[in-house]
Amino acid sequence: MRKILALSIAVAAIALAACGGRYGSTNGGTNVIPGTLAYTAHLPDGRVVTGTMGEELPSEGVGRIADSYWSATLGGFTQSKYSQALGFPPKTVITLTNLSANISHTLDFVAKIKGPPANFPTNPNLPISAAGGGKFKKGYASGAISPGKSVTLTLVKPGIYLIGCAFHYSEGMQDVLVVKKNATPGPEATPPA
């Protein structure tokens, strides 16, 4: 009987831990995401928002989303718990954190688009060395971000951008970043099995 009770308590604790995160947005919510690392966005209105942007392979936990609005599969970047289209106001200063336990990633400018569909190029030339001086624009590359490490970038101009990881673009680390007034995250991916 004691073993059954102990097992029941352990299962309940695991379930509570799995469901304990709160989802947020650029309105100031707090997020618990894979890797439980903290990172911030300094919004142009002076607010500081925590838990707003991170990256890892979709297979590591953030999943992928078949986004019907963008007519594309998005993955590897998140503003809350799972992969999603990203959205921030212009002039936001973001600290981007690599949530992976043991894999380096990048965030690179891929292309600027006018709107859906998000047609990701098949094999873009994405650099692994830093470029762009910390300002997100054409030619921006974060450089390799080691596991648990961060880079800071400023979203300079409004627009709709395709972004990707130089190391894992072909593995689905491709996303849409919308920079416009009052922008917020897009829909979240289905949790991984």
Side-chain angles (χ1 to χ4, degrees):
M1 185 69 162
R2 286 184 180 169
K3 288 181 182 179
I4 292 172
L5 179 60
L7 181 61
S8 297
I9 291 171
V11 168
I14 291 168
L16 284 172
C19 298
R22 288 180 9 198
Y23 299 91
S25 69
T26 55
N27 293 323
T30 306
N31 307 312
V32 176
I33 55 177
T36 62
L37 298 174
Y39 38 92
T40 59
H42 295 266
L43 301 176
D45 64 7
R47 288 181 296 146
V48 177
V49 181
T50 59
T52 54
M53 194 168 175
E55 64 179 339
E56 68 183 5
L57 276 168
S59 60
E60 291 180 284
V62 296
R64 288 192 180 141
I65 180 168
D67 191 305
S68 59
Y69 179 78
W70 294 106
S71 300
T73 300
L74 310 178
F77 300 87
T78 180
Q79 258 177 280
S80 57
K81 192 168 181 177
Y82 300 111
S83 294
Q84 60 193 158
L86 306 169
F88 293 99
K91 299 183 183 174
T92 299
V93 178
I94 295 172
T95 300
L96 166 68
T97 302
N98 179 353
L99 305 174
S100 297
N102 55 13
I103 301 170
S104 292
H105 296 297
T106 72
L107 183 152
D108 292 347
F109 174 99
V110 174
K112 186 173 182 181
I113 62 174
K114 293 187 187 280
N119 293 321
F120 289 92
T122 305
N123 194 17
N125 183 17
L126 302 179
I128 57 172
S129 297
K135 295 185 187 271
F136 186 81
K137 57 188 175 185
K138 184 176 181 177
Y140 175 82
S142 66
I145 310 168
S146 299
K149 300 297 181 183
S150 301
V151 296
T152 299
L153 63 141
T154 302
L155 303 177
V156 180
K157 293 183 179 180
I160 302 169
Y161 304 95
L162 302 181
I163 59 173
C165 173
F167 298 123
H168 307 103
Y169 187 85
S170 64
E171 294 177 52
M173 284 192 74
Q174 305 171 0
D175 214 329
V176 174
L177 171 60
V178 177
V179 181
K180 72 174 189 177
K181 187 177 178 180
N182 300 320
T184 57
E188 295 177 343
T190 302

